[in-house]
Amino acid sequence: MISVLPASGAGRASADASATAWALAARGGDPDAADRFVRALHGDVLRYVTYLSGDPQAAHDLTQDTFVRAFGSLHHFEGRSSARTWLLSIARRAVVDSLRRASARPRIADAVDWHAAQERAQPRGLPGFDDGVALLELLESLPGERREAFLLTQVVGLSYEETAGFVGCPVGTVRSRVSRARVSLERLLREAEALSAVAA
């Protein structure tokens, strides 16, 4: 399932307004509106939780958890912010809760090195798999605030203004974080390419 909202441009505000209207109608018990709300925002939530958690395997569960939480608290949603912004804040809490649970839970595996065993179990050879892993590793190296600003604006597609409202800081701060994230990612990418060339 992918988002039916446009990634950017003039149509974004209109699409956000539609998603918000569907959320409000779903709050009133309209099942068709609930379905449209999920379809419109599923892709955005999935991309966001994937990159925020750094765990593509858990992303679908986290996305489902986000929508379960959203429908559980839909009666509180009044449309003061866009439904997408509201939903992404729920997604962020779902990821944080998941990470807290994981850190408190002991890791048990038959293998001596459970981390290596987990990595060997990941699917390989899929188109774009290596690039996706490399991007995740580069993003993980960014400080948390820069990574979140970059993901929200460049991956999820929020405007700088929406991101500022979402994370609770000035627009200029978001622009600075995204700019610094880009510089860091470009430097890391150049370093990785140089190491690869030397190894070859």
Side-chain angles (χ1 to χ4, degrees), residues 1 20 22-23 25 27 38 45 68 70 73 87 96 100 108 128 147 151-152 157 191 194 196:
M1 187 182 292
T20 301
W22 291 329
R27 184 183 72 172
V38 172
V45 172
V68 167
S73 61
L87 193 60
V96 168
R100 283 184 182 145
I108 300 171
R147 181 173 63 242
L151 291 172
L152 287 170
E191 289 172 1
S196 179

Short mmCIF file of all heavy atoms in Angstrom, two decimals, residues 1 20 22-23 25 27 38 45 68 70 73 87 96 100 108 128 147 151-152 157 191 194 196:
data_model
loop_
_atom_site.label_atom_id
_atom_site.label_comp_id
_atom_site.label_asym_id
_atom_site.label_seq_id
_atom_site.Cartn_x
_atom_site.Cartn_y
_atom_site.Cartn_z
N MET A 1 0.84 -1.18 0.00
CA MET A 1 0.00 0.00 0.00
C MET A 1 0.88 1.23 0.00
O MET A 1 1.85 1.32 0.74
CB MET A 1 -0.87 -0.01 1.25
CG MET A 1 -1.90 1.09 1.25
SD MET A 1 -2.89 1.09 2.77
CE MET A 1 -3.81 -0.40 2.57
N THR A 20 -7.36 15.06 6.10
CA THR A 20 -7.89 15.55 7.37
C THR A 20 -9.41 15.42 7.40
O THR A 20 -9.99 15.02 8.42
CB THR A 20 -7.45 17.02 7.60
OG1 THR A 20 -6.02 17.07 7.59
CG2 THR A 20 -7.98 17.55 8.91
N TRP A 22 -11.14 13.21 5.76
CA TRP A 22 -11.44 11.79 5.91
C TRP A 22 -11.28 11.35 7.36
O TRP A 22 -12.07 10.56 7.86
CB TRP A 22 -10.54 10.95 5.01
CG TRP A 22 -10.83 11.12 3.55
CD1 TRP A 22 -12.04 11.38 2.97
CD2 TRP A 22 -9.89 11.06 2.48
NE1 TRP A 22 -11.90 11.49 1.61
CE2 TRP A 22 -10.60 11.28 1.27
CE3 TRP A 22 -8.52 10.83 2.40
CZ2 TRP A 22 -9.99 11.29 0.02
CZ3 TRP A 22 -7.90 10.83 1.15
CH2 TRP A 22 -8.63 11.06 -0.01
N ALA A 23 -10.26 11.88 8.03
CA ALA A 23 -10.06 11.53 9.45
C ALA A 23 -11.24 12.00 10.28
O ALA A 23 -11.74 11.27 11.15
CB ALA A 23 -8.76 12.14 9.96
N ALA A 25 -14.29 12.57 9.21
CA ALA A 25 -15.46 11.76 8.85
C ALA A 25 -15.37 10.37 9.48
O ALA A 25 -16.37 9.82 9.96
CB ALA A 25 -15.59 11.65 7.34
N ARG A 27 -13.92 9.72 12.24
CA ARG A 27 -14.25 9.93 13.65
C ARG A 27 -15.75 9.85 13.88
O ARG A 27 -16.22 9.38 14.92
CB ARG A 27 -13.72 11.30 14.10
CG ARG A 27 -13.92 11.58 15.57
CD ARG A 27 -13.45 12.97 15.93
NE ARG A 27 -14.35 13.98 15.40
CZ ARG A 27 -14.28 15.27 15.68
NH1 ARG A 27 -13.32 15.72 16.45
NH2 ARG A 27 -15.13 16.12 15.17
N VAL A 38 -6.64 5.79 5.79
CA VAL A 38 -5.52 4.84 5.90
C VAL A 38 -4.75 4.78 4.58
O VAL A 38 -3.52 4.85 4.57
CB VAL A 38 -6.01 3.44 6.31
CG1 VAL A 38 -4.88 2.43 6.23
CG2 VAL A 38 -6.60 3.48 7.72
N VAL A 45 3.53 6.98 6.71
CA VAL A 45 3.82 6.41 8.03
C VAL A 45 4.84 5.30 7.90
O VAL A 45 5.80 5.22 8.68
CB VAL A 45 2.52 5.89 8.70
CG1 VAL A 45 2.84 5.13 9.99
CG2 VAL A 45 1.57 7.04 8.99
N VAL A 68 -3.61 1.69 14.72
CA VAL A 68 -4.44 1.22 15.84
C VAL A 68 -4.54 2.31 16.89
O VAL A 68 -5.62 2.61 17.40
CB VAL A 68 -3.85 -0.08 16.44
CG1 VAL A 68 -4.50 -0.41 17.77
CG2 VAL A 68 -4.02 -1.24 15.47
N ALA A 70 -4.06 5.50 16.39
CA ALA A 70 -4.78 6.64 15.82
C ALA A 70 -6.29 6.44 15.89
O ALA A 70 -7.02 7.34 16.32
CB ALA A 70 -4.35 6.86 14.37
N SER A 73 -7.64 6.91 19.32
CA SER A 73 -7.72 8.27 19.84
C SER A 73 -8.33 9.25 18.83
O SER A 73 -8.25 10.46 19.01
CB SER A 73 -6.33 8.75 20.26
OG SER A 73 -5.45 8.75 19.15
N LEU A 87 -0.85 12.15 12.69
CA LEU A 87 -0.55 10.73 12.59
C LEU A 87 0.95 10.46 12.75
O LEU A 87 1.35 9.49 13.39
CB LEU A 87 -1.05 10.19 11.24
CG LEU A 87 -1.09 8.69 11.06
CD1 LEU A 87 -2.00 8.04 12.09
CD2 LEU A 87 -1.59 8.35 9.66
N VAL A 96 9.24 5.15 19.53
CA VAL A 96 9.92 5.34 20.82
C VAL A 96 9.52 4.25 21.80
O VAL A 96 10.38 3.66 22.47
CB VAL A 96 9.61 6.75 21.39
CG1 VAL A 96 10.06 6.87 22.84
CG2 VAL A 96 10.28 7.83 20.54
N ARG A 100 11.98 1.42 23.46
CA ARG A 100 12.08 1.25 24.91
C ARG A 100 11.81 -0.20 25.32
O ARG A 100 12.51 -0.76 26.16
CB ARG A 100 11.09 2.18 25.62
CG ARG A 100 11.55 3.61 25.66
CD ARG A 100 10.58 4.46 26.45
NE ARG A 100 11.01 5.85 26.43
CZ ARG A 100 10.20 6.88 26.39
NH1 ARG A 100 8.89 6.70 26.41
NH2 ARG A 100 10.68 8.10 26.38
N ILE A 108 17.65 -13.13 23.18
CA ILE A 108 17.95 -14.55 23.31
C ILE A 108 18.03 -15.16 21.92
O ILE A 108 17.18 -14.95 21.08
CB ILE A 108 16.86 -15.27 24.12
CG1 ILE A 108 16.77 -14.64 25.51
CG2 ILE A 108 17.14 -16.76 24.20
CD1 ILE A 108 15.60 -15.11 26.32
N GLY A 128 17.83 -2.78 -5.12
CA GLY A 128 17.94 -1.64 -4.22
C GLY A 128 18.24 -2.00 -2.78
O GLY A 128 18.35 -1.12 -1.94
N ARG A 147 18.67 13.95 11.76
CA ARG A 147 18.09 12.82 11.05
C ARG A 147 16.58 12.98 10.93
O ARG A 147 16.01 12.78 9.86
CB ARG A 147 18.44 11.51 11.77
CG ARG A 147 17.88 10.28 11.05
CD ARG A 147 18.37 8.99 11.67
NE ARG A 147 17.92 8.84 13.04
CZ ARG A 147 18.72 8.76 14.11
NH1 ARG A 147 20.02 8.83 13.99
NH2 ARG A 147 18.20 8.62 15.31
N LEU A 151 14.51 13.32 7.48
CA LEU A 151 13.51 12.32 7.11
C LEU A 151 12.15 12.94 6.86
O LEU A 151 11.47 12.62 5.88
CB LEU A 151 13.39 11.27 8.22
CG LEU A 151 14.59 10.35 8.40
CD1 LEU A 151 14.42 9.49 9.64
CD2 LEU A 151 14.78 9.48 7.18
N LEU A 152 11.75 13.84 7.75
CA LEU A 152 10.43 14.44 7.61
C LEU A 152 10.31 15.28 6.34
O LEU A 152 9.28 15.25 5.68
CB LEU A 152 10.10 15.29 8.84
CG LEU A 152 9.78 14.50 10.11
CD1 LEU A 152 9.71 15.43 11.31
CD2 LEU A 152 8.48 13.73 9.97
N GLY A 157 8.24 14.04 3.13
CA GLY A 157 7.74 15.09 2.24
C GLY A 157 7.02 16.23 2.93
O GLY A 157 6.31 17.01 2.28
N GLU A 191 33.31 9.58 1.49
CA GLU A 191 34.26 8.75 2.24
C GLU A 191 34.04 7.27 1.95
O GLU A 191 35.00 6.51 1.75
CB GLU A 191 34.14 9.02 3.74
CG GLU A 191 34.67 10.39 4.15
CD GLU A 191 34.36 10.70 5.61
OE1 GLU A 191 33.77 9.84 6.31
OE2 GLU A 191 34.73 11.81 6.06
N ALA A 194 35.29 6.47 -1.52
CA ALA A 194 36.76 6.46 -1.56
C ALA A 194 37.29 5.15 -0.98
O ALA A 194 38.20 4.53 -1.54
CB ALA A 194 37.32 7.64 -0.79
N SER A 196 35.69 2.32 -0.88
CA SER A 196 35.34 1.25 -1.80
C SER A 196 36.31 1.20 -2.97
O SER A 196 36.70 0.13 -3.43
CB SER A 196 33.91 1.50 -2.30
OG SER A 196 33.54 0.51 -3.22
#
